[in-house]
Amino acid sequence: MDKYKALTSQGAAAYLNTLEEIGWFSFPHNNKAKISEHLFGISSSEYFFYVLSHIVRDAEGFEEGSDYKELFEEMAALSGVNVVAAEFEYEMIGFGEDELTGTVVTENGNYNCELGELMGWLDADFIEGFVNEEVLPGEGIEGRFFMLPATDQMAQYTYATQEVYDKAIAVGLLPDDAEYFMSGFDQ
């Protein structure tokens, strides 16, 4: 039995205690009472990881700059980035040739985003490459956004330090495979 199944099979109380043990509630955006209420309301323990979601979006339908701007502003607020201005432009040129360009100005710096071949879906490079690898390090912020296992076309991210995220994987709070729930989908 894998670590995630082993932990979740012990029930919501064990899952909540393990969150406490790794320091999940030491971050101000992780409210223990709200997470507990949500956790005990989940009918199937295989979906306990949902309580770790900070950002949830339908990954389909990212066809305007405003979609990316709204997502970026939510991520900036959660991570503590002080945004002065943020603009994103999405241009559909042809099938598979769409482009996203953007500029973010913060109190500490300027950041430019250029992505192509988005096809109307949330591009993981926006979060992995732009937010996690450019903006957050540029702002001196330790936390990062980590994609949670996919269960459908929803994109779910948690915000944590690398150390706490690694602990969550190690103790079974999260499956160690991003395709955990999708592995048998194509069969």
Side-chain angles (χ1 to χ4, degrees), residues 55-166:
I55 304 286
V56 178
R57 288 284 188 285
D58 184 338
E60 187 178 27
F62 270 73
E63 298 175 344
E64 296 185 19
S66 60
D67 298 323
Y68 283 92
K69 181 179 180 179
E70 181 182 303
L71 176 60
F72 179 80
E73 288 174 344
E74 185 176 354
M75 291 179 141
L78 186 61
S79 61
V81 173
N82 294 316
V83 177
V84 174
E87 292 301 324
F88 293 93
E89 186 176 314
Y90 187 95
E91 183 178 4
M92 280 190 123
I93 299 165
F95 183 74
E97 298 177 27
D98 46 351
E99 296 177 345
L100 175 71
T101 56
T103 302
V104 172
V105 178
T106 69
E107 291 180 357
N108 299 321
N110 299 326
Y111 306 92
N112 294 310
C113 176
E114 292 184 24
L115 298 172
E117 301 180 25
L118 307 171
M119 299 179 67
W121 286 76
L122 171 60
D123 192 303
D125 286 339
F126 178 76
I127 297 166
E128 294 299 323
F130 180 63
V131 176
N132 279 347
E133 293 178 13
E134 291 184 39
V135 177
L136 296 177
E139 295 295 298
I141 295 173
E142 185 181 0
R144 298 293 181 267
F145 290 92
F146 298 95
M147 186 172 200
L148 296 176
T151 55
D152 57 16
Q153 72 184 37
M154 299 302 286
Q156 298 184 69
Y157 290 85
T158 192
Y159 178 73
T161 62
Q162 184 71 54
E163 177 185 7
V164 169
Y165 179 78
D166 290 345

